[in-house]
Amino acid sequence: MSASIAFIGLGNMGGPMAANLVAAGHHVTGFDLVPAALEAAATHGVAIAATAAEAVATADVVITMLPSGRHVLEAYRGGGPGGGLLAAAGAGTLFIESSTIAVDDARAAHALAAEAGHRNIDAPVSGGVIGAIAGTLTFMVGASPADFESARGILETMGRRVVLCGEPGSGQAAKICNNLILGVSMIAVSEAFVLGEKLGLTHQALFDVASAASGQCWALTTNCPVPGPVPASPANRDYQPGFAGALMAKDLGLAVEALHSTGVEAEVGSLAADIYRKFADEGGAGLDFSAIITVIRARSEGAAA
């Protein structure tokens, strides 16, 4: 069944996700602060609203894909042109929050929506821009079972796998745990390739061994940080994201906040967050996160010299 959907945030991830909803027969009205994002969405059949509040006014479902928890909460509460999303939406609207934000912010958004008479789930994604375009994202969902079932069909239009992780906030918890693994593993894979170069291994030889052995992981077999072995990886496109270094730095920062708040001792995760924060600050923000290998290689050459 088709639905009337408002999509707030039509950037690198939100734009393709909205386009897939249109292709599936849903009526999608979108809003973004960036004119180029609006123009791109319009070419895929997304109706463009003048304000975010206007977009949600007649929607059955509201999906947000925004940069941070602060932006989500501000959009929910209002203060900008047209007022807040919660006040503008009709009673009982289902809000799907697909940004990657802190667990506490996700729970705060859920509470605000419930107080305003709406339903809310957190459903962050994994799979990057390639997955958003292909409709193969993984959604990690925090929701009541009933709200999960209400959202499942829409999420399955945009993704290949939809997992109910638990109560509201659990989707964000799963996302930051997953990206903690991803950030650490990409650094390890990159260090291994640079070491292989020093030891005389070709990239293909190391890939052929590790991809079929105990070193196998997503960072190696899908997002390989060197060109050649995985033709679709960003390394073959001068590290155009993909999943940008700035986003990895952000997500690992959220993971570190959660580590501190829960008292978990995680030395490797904290170090990975430091490495990616520096990478983003020193020119890697707009590159794919796998470009961390270029930093490791450059520092290795400097150390050898």
Side-chain angles (χ1 to χ4, degrees):
M1 293 179 61
S2 63
S4 177
I5 300 172
F7 209 115
I8 311 302
L10 298 167
N12 291 335
M13 293 294 293
M17 292 165 69
N20 285 332
L21 290 169
V22 172
H26 297 291
H27 176 74
V28 181
T29 303
F31 179 77
D32 196 286
L33 293 174
V34 178
L38 295 175
E39 293 171 8
T43 66
H44 289 96
V46 176
I48 302 304
T51 66
E54 178 184 302
V56 309
T58 59
D60 305 310
V61 177
V62 176
I63 303 173
T64 46
M65 179 64 85
L66 299 172
S68 71
R70 175 177 62 83
H71 293 97
V72 172
L73 295 176
E74 287 178 355
Y76 275 28
R77 292 180 179 124
L85 304 184
L86 298 178
T93 298
L94 174 63
F95 280 77
I96 300 175
E97 214 308 281
S98 285
S99 321
T100 297
I101 62 178
V103 175
D104 286 347
D105 286 339
R107 290 173 177 161
H110 178 78
L112 286 171
E115 184 180 348
H118 302 301
R119 297 169 293 155
N120 168 273
I121 71 171
D122 53 293
V125 303
S126 177
V129 175
I130 293 173
I133 294 171
T136 58
L137 296 169
T138 293
F139 284 88
M140 295 149 274
V141 183
S144 70
D147 288 344
F148 175 73
E149 290 303 322
S150 295
R152 183 200 288 269
I154 290 170
L155 298 180
E156 288 178 343
T157 299
M158 300 179 286
R160 176 180 293 163
R161 184 169 174 79
V162 180
V163 181
L164 178 59
C165 299
E167 62 185 15
S170 297
Q172 297 294 349
K175 175 65 185 288
I176 62 173
C177 290
N178 177 77
N179 279 18
L180 180 62
I181 296 170
L182 178 59
V184 169
S185 62
M186 181 56 77
I187 292 170
V189 169
S190 297
E191 290 180 349
F193 270 105
V194 174
L195 177 59
E197 293 166 2
K198 296 290 187 181
L199 295 174
L201 287 173
T202 66
H203 293 158
Q204 191 65 52
L206 178 55
F207 178 86
D208 288 346
V209 170
S211 63
S214 55
Q216 192 279 331
C217 61
W218 190 93
L220 173 69
T221 58
T222 299
N223 219 76
C224 186
V226 295
V230 180
S233 75
N236 297 283
R237 306 187 307 276
D238 296 323
Y239 298 101
Q240 298 174 34
F243 183 56
L247 295 178
M248 178 55 79
K250 169 200 162 187
D251 289 3
L252 289 177
L254 293 174
V256 168
E257 290 177 13
L259 291 169
H260 291 165
S261 69
T262 56
V264 174
E265 291 292 329
E267 295 181 23
V268 176
S270 296
L271 179 59
D274 289 341
I275 290 170
Y276 270 105
R277 182 172 59 250
K278 188 172 183 181
F279 172 66
D281 290 344
E282 295 181 355
L287 298 175
D288 190 75
F289 78 109
S290 60
I292 194 70
I293 193 173
T294 63
V295 175
I296 296 167
R297 187 182 290 119
R299 290 178 180 168
S300 300
E301 295 297 334

